[in-house]
Amino acid sequence: MEGAGYRDNDVLLSWAPVEEAGDATQMLFSKKDASGGDSCASEDEPTFDPGYEPDWAVISTVRPRPCRPEPSRGAEPSCPRDSWAFWVSLGELKSVRRSKPGLSWAYLVLVTQAGGSLPALHFHRGGTRALLRVLSRYLLLASSPQDSRLYLVFPHDSSALSSSFHHLQLFDQDSSNVVSRFLQDPYSTTFNSFSRVTNFFRGALQPHPEGAPRDLHPGPDEEPEPGFEVISCVELGPRPAVERAPPVTEQEWAGHVGPEGRLQQVPELRARIFSGGLSPGLRREAWKFLLGYLSWGGSAEEHKAHVRKKTDEYFRMKLQWKSVSPEQERRNSLLHGYRSLIERDVSRTDRTNKFYEGPENPGLGLLNDILLTYCMYHFDLGYVQGMSDLLSPILYVVQNEVDAFWCFCGFMELVHGNFEESQETMKRQLGQLLLLLRVLDPPLCDFLDSQDSGSLCFCFRWLLIWFKREFPFPDVLRLWEVLWTGLPGPNLHLLVACAILDMERDTLMLSGFGSNEILKHINELTMKLSVEDVLTRAEALYRQLTACTELPHNVQEVLGLAPPAAPHSPSPPASPLPLSPTRTPPAPPLPADPAAQPDSSLEILPEEEEDGVGS
């Protein structure tokens, strides 16, 4: 902000972002759509079909896109930096929205009386308190009773205050009388009934008696700057170049087979699979090792004995549901429900693949039998929609019922939490994904948050079935065998999601997408992604993160670079924790002092120099 001053008896707010280190690309231009208007699409507009079953997808439809607001006033910008500058009369402001707590930096969004939003004001080094203090000299800011992050703007005017108090339902008595008493005696009037007014007023009023309850929303001066008491923005180095290797061939695999059929130099072999994948003819054997069905260190004889034992175990479990008579099943609603759900899902799983096409395809029967047997193997979990998507590629590769079952069990050991009814594992993964994305690309996170997409729910299907429906079938085989290596860390699938978002960031941000358009665009990426490009970028992101010497501890935990801390509660967090460089609690924040927080975007003019200052 360059300054606040007078022009024709009107107070103006002029904002001009200052480049940091000469890089203007770090400043984000974010513009929300205006709601309402006769020209908007009808609410009866047909919904968007995402192209997959909506019964287990989190989001399957989008609302009509609202109308675009008129462009901000001012001349056409001559450079990118000018495109983020604007000026506005304070009398035109309707509300101010603050960023959510826990972000890597803070931002403010100014909403005008016309219903449009001005470019988001980003504060990389603090400064929101200082700006709000300046605005409070010219305006009254009241916390919205519906949204604690929204501050409604009212001028210093008795009639406007009366109307505003009535709108906010701040008082049970006549608002005009309260306004008169408030202007004459703010102390007693405020403490008696003005409990929803923000901290701008509270600072000048008498303090509460010690021990008295305070039913007040945290105001903009009281609420800490999100994230700044914990860690400042992480400085990442340049992203390294990564080249994928060719797939592991059958000859190369044979070179790792030693005496008695034991695999040798297993770490080097796993690293090769990570960097290049497997040739198609090798997958049938190698996948059994990657999924834990066969031991990497076992001999050929030990593997044969293990397969015989597991074959007997499988058919004993299969006999449990096979021997249930139709009359018994009518009294077993759980088994009947699983059978019906499995039959429905199997009938529509990968039917375009030649291995599963046709009405009497034997592959469909094997899918059905393996999934029903898994219900006997894992009684607590049973069958959940989406599991057929995970089994289908495994059965396609190994082409053996028993081997496919145990390989599927190994895969489910990795992802069974995705299908639990509580969804806590999915919530935790979405939180971890957001944490990684905030470190890698804070402007993209900020943009998604400003468009009500910061929860990353549009990535739910990606994580649930490990991108099974995002890539062509052969690419899914390559992606999964790379992820099963467990290299370079335990959560490479989260970096794969980051890589896809990184590839699409310019399209999302420069196209001015709202939340509906973001969802639609993500769904339309299906079958259009290159798995090699995504894996290359995911590995580059991992190397870029691990090269950072000041990587926060909770990010290190996600990447497997540090042991996880002991949980404080039995369930994982539903949202990402703030970035924390250490596990020790942060020191108590110092008292707010705007002068002690340098800010490249904000300059507060001395009070004696403010009069007559223009934009």
Side-chain angles (χ1 to χ4, degrees), residues 129-164:
R129 300 189 192 96
L131 176 57
L132 291 171
R133 283 196 187 96
V134 172
L135 293 178
S136 68
R137 300 174 190 169
Y138 308 98
L139 302 166
L140 298 178
L141 303 182
S143 177
S144 169
Q146 286 80 29
D147 188 347
S148 60
R149 295 191 298 120
L150 181 67
Y151 299 100
L152 305 180
V153 175
F154 307 106
H156 286 288
D157 176 78
S158 294
S159 61
L161 272 177
S162 177
S163 174
S164 304

Side-chain angles (χ1 to χ4, degrees), residues 1 15 20 27 98-99 104-109 120-132 225-226 228 233 446 597-604:
M1 188 182 89
W15 175 270
E20 287 194 15
M27 308 300 294
R98 295 195 68 179
S99 53
S104 54
W105 68 65
Y107 69 83
L108 297 175
V109 176
L121 313 183
H122 295 263
F123 299 84
H124 299 253
R125 301 178 184 174
T128 56
R129 300 189 192 96
L131 176 57
L132 291 171
E225 293 281 2
F228 288 104
C233 297
D446 213 13
Q597 297 185 10
D599 195 310
S600 61
S601 304
L602 185 66
E603 179 184 357
I604 304 298

Side-chain angles (χ1 to χ4, degrees), residues 463-481:
L463 306 182
L464 180 70
I465 54 175
W466 275 28
F467 309 93
K468 165 63 165 51
R469 300 195 181 187
E470 317 312 317
F471 293 94
F473 197 87
D475 285 359
V476 172
L477 309 183
R478 173 60 46 81
L479 174 65
W480 283 5
E481 63 198 15

Side-chain angles (χ1 to χ4, degrees), residues 242-292:
V242 172
E243 291 186 5
R244 299 279 300 163
V248 178
T249 63
E250 297 178 49
Q251 292 76 14
E252 184 177 354
W253 178 276
H256 286 269
V257 179
E260 301 180 347
R262 300 181 189 274
L263 289 173
Q264 300 176 329
Q265 299 177 320
V266 173
E268 290 81 358
L269 181 58
R270 291 167 68 101
R272 275 288 292 117
I273 299 173
F274 166 74
S275 63
L278 296 163
S279 60
L282 184 56
R283 286 179 174 137
R284 185 174 184 178
E285 179 181 1
W287 278 25
K288 299 173 186 178
F289 292 90
L290 288 170
L291 290 169

